[in-house]
């Protein structure tokens, strides 16, 4: 009960919840893009399964905090660079994200001539790819939570609430991304940026989150303005200026005009 009455706990919960939602958006976007390769009737189920697995992964990592913290211990060195278990997961996950986002960009922009013969991805293959990225995003999320809050109950509550928000908004985010091609390309570009930052983190080159999410937020704001402008243009009928003389007046010759006056 004392835990619920502490203002510091509520501030920590709100801060961690906001961060978990921001980190979770990456996961939702990637899951939405992967689910988009499935038949229409399987996409919603794939998003739900993917997010539920993400929640289970986060809770499992929180339940084994000693193991997660142990992942930061160096395992070996490469060219003087100490590599830990966490570094390996971040590097592999970042490279996978870079490769997958690049492949999706190619398929969407230059794969048009092959779309007729391309097979639809299987449900199991999509879920397997989601599980791989869930592990990477969950590890990053849990390590961030451990660095911000000491109370396990606060971490679990923030993770669960954030995932409920993601589940509720996944359909809308997916529909919005798939409905606007420019937004989808921006989302894939964001995944490239995040993949690069994960690889850098794996080599102990820390990139502040503001440098990653700042450009993303600005790009989303600019694209939102572009969409608003295009929507207004589409809703308005073109303007026609009133002409002083009609086209028939221009076709008449001076002789015919004089005849009419006579």
């Amino acid at each position: 009960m004392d835990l619920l009455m502490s203002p510091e706990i509520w501030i920590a919960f709100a801060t961690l919840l906001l961060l978990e939602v921001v980190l979770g958006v990456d996961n939702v976007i990637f899951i939405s893009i992967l689910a988009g390769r499935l038949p229409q009737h399987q996409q919603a189920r794939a998003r739900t399964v993917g997010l539920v697995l993400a929640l289970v992964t986060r809770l499992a990592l929180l339940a084994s905090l000693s193991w997660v913290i142990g992942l930061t211990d160096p395992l070996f060195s490469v060219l003087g660079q100490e590599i830990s278990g966490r570094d390996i997961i971040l590097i592999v996950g970042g490279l996978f994200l870079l490769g997958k986002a690049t492949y999706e960009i190619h398929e969407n922009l230059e794969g048009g001539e092959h779309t007729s013969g391309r097979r639809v991805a299987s449900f199991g293959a999509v879920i397997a790819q989601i599980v791989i990225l869930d592990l990477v995003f969950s590890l990053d999320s849990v390590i961030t939570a451990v660095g911000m809050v000491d109370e396990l109950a606060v971490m679990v509550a923030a993770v669960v609430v954030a995932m409920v928000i993601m589940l509720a908004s996944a359909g809308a985010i997916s529909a919005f991304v798939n409905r606007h091609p420019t937004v989808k390309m921006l989302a894939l570009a964001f995944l490239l940026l995040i993949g690069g930052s994960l690889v850098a983190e794996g080599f102990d080159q820390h990139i502040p989150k503001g440098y990653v999410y700042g450009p993303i937020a600005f790009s989303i704001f600019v694209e939102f303005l572009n969409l608003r402008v295009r929507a207004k243009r589409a809703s308005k009928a073109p303007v026609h200026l009133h002409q002083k003389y009609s086209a028939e007046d221009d076709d008449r010759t001076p002789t015919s005009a004089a005849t009419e006056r006579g």
Side-chain angles (χ1 to χ4, degrees), residues 180-231:
H180 301 286
T182 52
V183 174
K184 189 170 186 177
M185 288 300 103
L186 272 178
L188 289 168
F190 299 161
L191 293 177
L192 288 173
L193 183 61
I194 294 166
S197 69
L198 289 176
V199 173
E201 288 278 350
F203 287 104
D204 294 332
Q205 302 298 317
H206 178 66
I207 301 176
K209 297 295 183 184
Y211 290 137
V212 177
Y213 290 99
I216 291 176
F218 180 76
S219 297
I220 291 174
F221 175 70
V222 172
E223 182 57 22
F224 173 75
L225 294 179
N226 288 333
L227 292 174
R228 290 292 300 272
V229 170
R230 287 199 292 268

Side-chain angles (χ1 to χ4, degrees), residues 119-184:
R119 292 186 303 171
V120 177
S122 68
F123 188 84
V126 169
I127 295 300
Q129 294 178 66
I130 290 175
V131 168
I132 294 173
L133 263 296
D134 278 346
L135 177 60
V136 178
F137 285 123
S138 297
L139 183 65
D140 190 30
S141 172
V142 168
I143 290 177
T144 301
V146 171
M148 291 182 60
V149 183
D150 295 328
E151 295 289 340
L152 179 60
V154 175
M155 299 181 204
V156 172
V159 167
V160 171
V161 173
M163 198 54 60
V164 170
I165 294 173
M166 292 297 100
L167 280 168
S169 60
I173 293 176
S174 177
F176 183 76
V177 169
N178 290 322
R179 189 166 60 247
H180 301 286
T182 52
V183 174
K184 189 170 186 177

Side-chain angles (χ1 to χ4, degrees), residues 35-40 42-43 115 117-123 125-126:
R37 303 181 69 86
L38 292 170
Q40 187 69 34
Q42 292 184 337
Q43 292 181 12
T115 53
R118 188 178 62 184
R119 292 186 303 171
V120 177
S122 68
F123 188 84
V126 169

